[in-house]
Amino acid sequence: MSAPALRVLSLGAGVQSTCLLLMAAVGHLPKLDAAIFADTGWEPRSVYDHLDRIESEIAKPAGIPILRVSSGNIRDDALDPSRRFASMPLHILNADGGEGMSRRQCTGQYKVRPIKEKVRELLGFPHPQRIPAGLHVEQWIGISVDEFHRAKDADVAYMKNRFPLIEQGYSRSDCLRLLRSRGFGQTPKSACLGCPYHGNAQWRALRDDAPDEWEDVVAFDASIRSGNARATAEGKPLLGQAYLHRSRRPLDEAPIDRVTAHEWSGRQTDVFDAVADAELENGAPDGCSPWSCRSGTPTQTDHGLAS
Ligand code: SF4
């Protein structure tokens, strides 16, 4: 295989990708040409703050540009009848009382797509130009050994994925240890504010620590009860109701205060939450990175949300 033209990091700005940025910056890994952050427009303030900080304290001093790319604002698009909306994995309560989930198209639309566009631009062959055979970037993806099953090849020839954390035998705990030692122990999980895959702990953190963001997601939850605005405007309303919380109740009434085995071992446990929190501890469901969405696989039912 020919040598890569560029080496880029897919920067979700969560634990693993921040760790990779740091490792490259301090010389534990080869130099990066760029780090690409795909912005859905609806990340928590803590993620944007973290991104600013790693840019000024890690990336800039090391000469690694952070390129912020976007293909829209996921929140605004869901509520705008004139905009095409790539469906979020909403929890659906069907008219007959059955439960389902809407298709997840958001990761592809708001994360993968703008990164591919930027990579093509960096290579000098923006869409729809044909990229010469063999010309490619090496793309680093922050997947640690504890989640190696998420490591996948890219679906385009001009991107060759590499997983340096797996190559180095780094677990998520190793990443956290390294980040802590450099003053980045508070690295947040990167995911949309209103991602329906949030566990109770994430919803509670929003409600208790960021009241304005909580107000925002509660309002959004109420606004998507009938599905996305475009589908409704086109006469294809959702035949059921959509919710952000998996209980399929309005977010401000949902049982997000359920204590869990993880939080309160020895006290009341809830099997559903215990599983979710175990995953949380592993960094699983509450982080959505472009190439390794840690949010599980949604039920493939289309409820007309993807207009
Ligand atoms: S965080 Fe959730 S809502 Fe946002 S792009 Fe990922 S899966 Fe979609």
PDB file of all heavy atoms in Angstrom, residues 259-261 263-270:
ATOM      1  N   VAL A 259     -32.321   5.146  41.516  1.00  0.00           N
ATOM      2  CA  VAL A 259     -30.974   4.816  41.976  1.00  0.00           C
ATOM      3  C   VAL A 259     -30.550   3.513  41.317  1.00  0.00           C
ATOM      4  O   VAL A 259     -31.375   2.681  40.956  1.00  0.00           O
ATOM      5  CB  VAL A 259     -30.905   4.692  43.510  1.00  0.00           C
ATOM      6  CG1 VAL A 259     -31.047   6.042  44.159  1.00  0.00           C
ATOM      7  CG2 VAL A 259     -31.938   3.723  44.018  1.00  0.00           C
ATOM      8  N   THR A 260     -29.291   3.333  41.158  1.00  0.00           N
ATOM      9  CA  THR A 260     -28.802   2.184  40.407  1.00  0.00           C
ATOM     10  C   THR A 260     -27.833   1.364  41.235  1.00  0.00           C
ATOM     11  O   THR A 260     -27.299   1.834  42.240  1.00  0.00           O
ATOM     12  CB  THR A 260     -28.056   2.655  39.160  1.00  0.00           C
ATOM     13  OG1 THR A 260     -26.863   3.300  39.597  1.00  0.00           O
ATOM     14  CG2 THR A 260     -28.905   3.612  38.320  1.00  0.00           C
ATOM     15  N   ALA A 261     -27.617   0.163  40.763  1.00  0.00           N
ATOM     16  CA  ALA A 261     -26.694  -0.726  41.454  1.00  0.00           C
ATOM     17  C   ALA A 261     -25.300  -0.109  41.508  1.00  0.00           C
ATOM     18  O   ALA A 261     -24.621  -0.160  42.529  1.00  0.00           O
ATOM     19  CB  ALA A 261     -26.644  -2.070  40.735  1.00  0.00           C
ATOM     20  N   GLU A 263     -24.446   3.077  41.375  1.00  0.00           N
ATOM     21  CA  GLU A 263     -24.338   4.249  42.246  1.00  0.00           C
ATOM     22  C   GLU A 263     -24.542   3.904  43.710  1.00  0.00           C
ATOM     23  O   GLU A 263     -23.968   4.500  44.599  1.00  0.00           O
ATOM     24  CB  GLU A 263     -25.385   5.294  41.849  1.00  0.00           C
ATOM     25  CG  GLU A 263     -25.155   5.920  40.510  1.00  0.00           C
ATOM     26  CD  GLU A 263     -26.321   6.804  40.120  1.00  0.00           C
ATOM     27  OE1 GLU A 263     -27.372   6.246  39.772  1.00  0.00           O
ATOM     28  OE2 GLU A 263     -26.182   8.027  40.200  1.00  0.00           O
ATOM     29  N   TRP A 264     -25.428   2.981  43.949  1.00  0.00           N
ATOM     30  CA  TRP A 264     -25.814   2.689  45.318  1.00  0.00           C
ATOM     31  C   TRP A 264     -25.726   1.191  45.587  1.00  0.00           C
ATOM     32  O   TRP A 264     -26.707   0.568  45.941  1.00  0.00           O
ATOM     33  CB  TRP A 264     -27.246   3.163  45.575  1.00  0.00           C
ATOM     34  CG  TRP A 264     -27.468   4.609  45.344  1.00  0.00           C
ATOM     35  CD1 TRP A 264     -28.032   5.183  44.247  1.00  0.00           C
ATOM     36  CD2 TRP A 264     -27.135   5.680  46.221  1.00  0.00           C
ATOM     37  NE1 TRP A 264     -28.075   6.545  44.384  1.00  0.00           N
ATOM     38  CE2 TRP A 264     -27.530   6.878  45.593  1.00  0.00           C
ATOM     39  CE3 TRP A 264     -26.522   5.745  47.488  1.00  0.00           C
ATOM     40  CZ2 TRP A 264     -27.333   8.123  46.177  1.00  0.00           C
ATOM     41  CZ3 TRP A 264     -26.350   6.984  48.062  1.00  0.00           C
ATOM     42  CH2 TRP A 264     -26.751   8.157  47.412  1.00  0.00           C
ATOM     43  N   SER A 265     -24.579   0.641  45.401  1.00  0.00           N
ATOM     44  CA  SER A 265     -24.468  -0.799  45.611  1.00  0.00           C
ATOM     45  C   SER A 265     -24.898  -1.128  47.039  1.00  0.00           C
ATOM     46  O   SER A 265     -24.570  -0.430  47.989  1.00  0.00           O
ATOM     47  CB  SER A 265     -23.035  -1.264  45.371  1.00  0.00           C
ATOM     48  OG  SER A 265     -22.158  -0.530  46.155  1.00  0.00           O
ATOM     49  N   GLY A 266     -25.676  -2.177  47.133  1.00  0.00           N
ATOM     50  CA  GLY A 266     -26.169  -2.538  48.446  1.00  0.00           C
ATOM     51  C   GLY A 266     -27.544  -1.965  48.736  1.00  0.00           C
ATOM     52  O   GLY A 266     -28.227  -2.395  49.662  1.00  0.00           O
ATOM     53  N   ARG A 267     -27.949  -0.960  47.951  1.00  0.00           N
ATOM     54  CA  ARG A 267     -29.287  -0.418  48.137  1.00  0.00           C
ATOM     55  C   ARG A 267     -30.156  -0.867  46.974  1.00  0.00           C
ATOM     56  O   ARG A 267     -29.808  -1.759  46.230  1.00  0.00           O
ATOM     57  CB  ARG A 267     -29.217   1.107  48.236  1.00  0.00           C
ATOM     58  CG  ARG A 267     -28.453   1.538  49.486  1.00  0.00           C
ATOM     59  CD  ARG A 267     -28.331   3.029  49.596  1.00  0.00           C
ATOM     60  NE  ARG A 267     -29.633   3.677  49.741  1.00  0.00           N
ATOM     61  CZ  ARG A 267     -29.763   4.980  49.962  1.00  0.00           C
ATOM     62  NH1 ARG A 267     -28.699   5.740  50.059  1.00  0.00           N
ATOM     63  NH2 ARG A 267     -30.954   5.519  50.082  1.00  0.00           N
ATOM     64  N   GLN A 268     -31.284  -0.254  46.825  1.00  0.00           N
ATOM     65  CA  GLN A 268     -32.217  -0.677  45.781  1.00  0.00           C
ATOM     66  C   GLN A 268     -31.531  -0.683  44.418  1.00  0.00           C
ATOM     67  O   GLN A 268     -30.814   0.246  44.078  1.00  0.00           O
ATOM     68  CB  GLN A 268     -33.393   0.295  45.747  1.00  0.00           C
ATOM     69  CG  GLN A 268     -34.398  -0.029  44.676  1.00  0.00           C
ATOM     70  CD  GLN A 268     -35.428   1.087  44.561  1.00  0.00           C
ATOM     71  OE1 GLN A 268     -35.428   2.010  45.362  1.00  0.00           O
ATOM     72  NE2 GLN A 268     -36.290   0.982  43.572  1.00  0.00           N
ATOM     73  N   THR A 269     -31.752  -1.719  43.627  1.00  0.00           N
ATOM     74  CA  THR A 269     -31.140  -1.768  42.310  1.00  0.00           C
ATOM     75  C   THR A 269     -32.209  -1.872  41.241  1.00  0.00           C
ATOM     76  O   THR A 269     -33.327  -2.305  41.491  1.00  0.00           O
ATOM     77  CB  THR A 269     -30.197  -2.976  42.162  1.00  0.00           C
ATOM     78  OG1 THR A 269     -30.951  -4.157  42.343  1.00  0.00           O
ATOM     79  CG2 THR A 269     -29.071  -2.901  43.168  1.00  0.00           C
ATOM     80  N   ASP A 270     -31.857  -1.475  40.096  1.00  0.00           N
ATOM     81  CA  ASP A 270     -32.751  -1.532  38.951  1.00  0.00           C
ATOM     82  C   ASP A 270     -31.926  -2.172  37.836  1.00  0.00           C
ATOM     83  O   ASP A 270     -30.923  -1.629  37.422  1.00  0.00           O
ATOM     84  CB  ASP A 270     -33.163  -0.099  38.584  1.00  0.00           C
ATOM     85  CG  ASP A 270     -33.985  -0.054  37.301  1.00  0.00           C
ATOM     86  OD1 ASP A 270     -33.483  -0.511  36.257  1.00  0.00           O
ATOM     87  OD2 ASP A 270     -35.104   0.453  37.372  1.00  0.00           O
TER      88      ASP A 270
END
